[in-house]
Structures are given as C-alpha cells and as structure tokens.
Amino acid sequence: MDVKEMRCFESRQSPIPGQNATTPGTGGKPAEFGKLLQEKAKAGLNFSKHAAKRMSERGIAVDNQLMSNLVQAVEDARKKGARDVAVIGAQGVFIVNVPNNTVVTTMSQNDMRERVFTNIDSAVLM
C-alpha cells in the first residue's frame, strides 16, 4: 500500500496524568480508540490504485447500489472472520482485504477465463 493512501488516526493525550481523554461530540465520555477505529473503518470501502485502474480498464462502473452491496458483503464476511474475500456478483469479482476495507483488485465476467482465485480465504456471492 502506498504511504499516500494510508489514513492516520491521531490519539489525543490528556496533559494531566490520570485524567481520561474525551472525544469532542461524545458528551465528555472517555474515548475508546479501538471502538473509534472500527467505526471509522466500517464507514465505507477504499479502492487501491490497482483496483481503480482495473475498473477503468475493464469498464466496471460502481454505482450507489453496487457500493452498498459490496459494503454489506464485506461486513458479512467480517462477521465470519474473513480476511481476504472474493465478492462475486453480476458486475464481476472484487477481491477485498477485509481488515483494511480495501478493494485490492477487480475483474469483469469476461476476464474470468482462468476461474482460479488465489490468496483469498472466503467468497461471498452477491
């Protein structure tokens, strides 16, 4: 993954030892970094530069319905403990790294001549 694509999360430390840090907009409740990170990650899918290039080359358009279906498929795979999943649908196949919420590559139905997928641990049919 390119450094430019990485998202950084900043942890705010309290200057007073023993005092809990709070997150703005939470009504003064202590911040739970892991919980905040999970909520941020679930906000949507990212597309790697490679995946974006393949989509452009192969004429795969992502509309709101397809994005919604992809997000739901990835969430279903996450609940089952998947790490790298092939999401198979009418538009093609999307290989997604679940922990990073990143589509790493994609192929259209016409490009699936070999019918072999490697480096995945799960598949979801849309």
Side-chain angles (χ1 to χ4, degrees), residues 35-76:
K35 192 173 187 178
L36 291 173
L37 184 60
Q38 277 186 330
E39 289 173 9
K40 184 71 174 172
K42 290 181 182 179
L45 290 176
N46 300 309
F47 288 81
S48 69
K49 287 183 181 180
H50 175 79
K53 181 179 177 185
R54 293 293 178 252
M55 289 172 56
S56 176
E57 291 172 354
R58 296 168 176 164
I60 300 172
V62 178
D63 59 11
N64 289 339
Q65 183 64 42
L66 176 57
M67 183 58 87
S68 176
N69 291 344
L70 282 171
V71 168
Q72 184 61 50
V74 171
E75 190 56 35
D76 291 346

Side-chain angles (χ1 to χ4, degrees), residues 1 7 20 23 47 82 91 107:
M1 176 180 262
R7 294 182 183 179
N20 289 334
T23 302
F47 288 81
Q91 298 84 353
M107 62 188 72

Side-chain angles (χ1 to χ4, degrees), residues 17 19 29-30 39 57 63 73 80 83 96 106:
Q19 183 179 4
K29 295 179 184 174
E39 289 173 9
E57 291 172 354
D63 59 11
K80 297 287 187 176
R83 296 191 50 79
V96 182
T106 185

Side-chain angles (χ1 to χ4, degrees), residues 90-110:
Q91 298 84 353
V93 177
F94 299 83
I95 307 298
V96 182
N97 178 271
V98 176
N100 294 328
N101 274 351
T102 303
V103 177
V104 294
T105 193
T106 185
M107 62 188 72
S108 67
Q109 294 289 343
N110 295 335

Side-chain angles (χ1 to χ4, degrees), residues 77-78 80-85 96-100 119-122:
R78 182 186 321 281
K80 297 287 187 176
R83 296 191 50 79
D84 293 294
V85 63
V96 182
N97 178 271
V98 176
N100 294 328
N119 298 327
I120 63 167
D121 61 23
S122 304

